Amino acid sequence: DSGVTQTPKHLITATGQRVTLRCSPRSGDLSVYWYQQSLDQGLQFLIQYYNGEERAKGNILERFSAQQFPDLHSELNLSSLELGDSALYFCASSPDYWDPEQYFGPGTRLTVT
Amino acid sequence: AQSVTQPDIHITVSEGASLELRCNYSYGATPYLFWYVQSPGQGLQLLLKYFSGDTLVQGIKGFEAEFKRSQSSFNLRKPSVHWSDAAEYFCAAGVMEYGNKLVFGAGTILRVKS
C-alpha cells in the first residue's frame, strides 16, 4: 500500500458524459501527478500539481482538466467522453516538487460505452 | 525527444531460471531511472530506482538493476525467478526540468513456466 488513495476504483459511463476522478496523496506529499494507461498509448503523463499550482503538462486533452485543492487532494475531470478515453487513470504523489520518486495509487478504471 | 524503450514485449522464463529485462533510454542528460511492476488489475509498485552513484542498485523482491551510461541502459535482473514474479514490468525515466514527469517504456510481460 503506497498511501495514495483513488476513488472510485471503477467507473462505467456513456459517451458524451463527464466524470471526476479523485486522488488523495500520501500524508505530507505536496506534489500530485496524473497518468493515463491505455492499450494503445501505454502509460502517459498527463499533468502535475504542486501545492495547488499546475507545474507541468503532458499529453492532456483539452477536454480534461485537473486541480489540486488546499487540503492537497486532487481531482481529474474528464468531459465529453469518447470511447478512446477508456483507460486506467493513475494518480501519484511525491513529497516535494523536486523529488523524483513517485508513489502510485491503485488507479481508477474508466470504461466509456 | 525523451524516450524509454523496452525492446521485449513478452518474455517467458522457467521458474528458477535467471531473468534479465532490457531498458534503454534516450535523454539529453542522465535521467533518474526506475523499474515498476504491475500485477493484473493492480497499481504500480516501485521495484528499484537509480539517481546517482553506485551503478548496481538493489531493489525489493530480490531484483537488481545495472545502470550503464555508455549503453544508455538500465536492465533489470533477478537470479532465480519465482512463479509470483509473473507480471508486467515497466522501466521509467525522469529529469528535473519543467516538472518531474516520468516517461514510461511500453512494458514487458513476464510469464513464468513451471
Side-chain angles (χ1 to χ4, degrees), chain A residues 1 7 31 36 45 56 68-69 74 83 90 99-100 107-108 110:
Chain A
D1 185 354
T7 56
S31 247
Q36 179 195 58
F45 168 76
Q68 187 180 25
F69 295 86
S74 177
L83 295 177
F90 285 111
D99 283 299
T108 293
L110 173 66

Side-chain angles (χ1 to χ4, degrees), chain B residues 30-87:
Chain B
T30 300
Y32 306 118
L33 294 160
F34 306 86
W35 275 99
Y36 287 88
V37 61
Q38 183 180 28
S39 298
Q42 303 297 312
L44 295 166
Q45 182 181 24
L46 179 66
L47 286 175
L48 44 76
K49 61 198 177 197
Y50 173 77
F51 294 165
S52 65
D54 193 347
T55 57
L56 186 63
V57 294
Q58 302 297 321
I60 62 171
K61 304 185 179 186
F63 285 93
E64 66 178 27
E66 185 171 13
F67 169 67
K68 292 185 177 179
R69 185 188 306 273
S70 61
Q71 297 177 19
S72 297
S73 69
F74 187 57
N75 294 347
L76 181 71
R77 301 194 295 246
K78 187 169 185 178
S80 178
V81 168
H82 187 262
W83 64 266
S84 61
D85 293 324

Side-chain angles (χ1 to χ4, degrees), chain B residues 5-21:
Chain B
T5 302
Q6 292 178 248
D8 305 305
I9 298 174
H10 296 100
I11 280 188
T12 300
V13 300
S14 298
E15 190 169 15
S18 64
L19 169 71
E20 182 168 31
L21 302 183

Side-chain angles (χ1 to χ4, degrees), chain A residues 33 35 45 48 102, chain B residues 2 27 93-95 98-103:
Chain A
Y33 311 78
Y35 291 84
F45 168 76
Q48 177 193 5
Q102 298 175 23
Chain B
Q2 300 165 343
Y27 272 76
V95 290
Y98 184 52
N100 206 9
K101 69 175 186 180
L102 292 179
V103 174

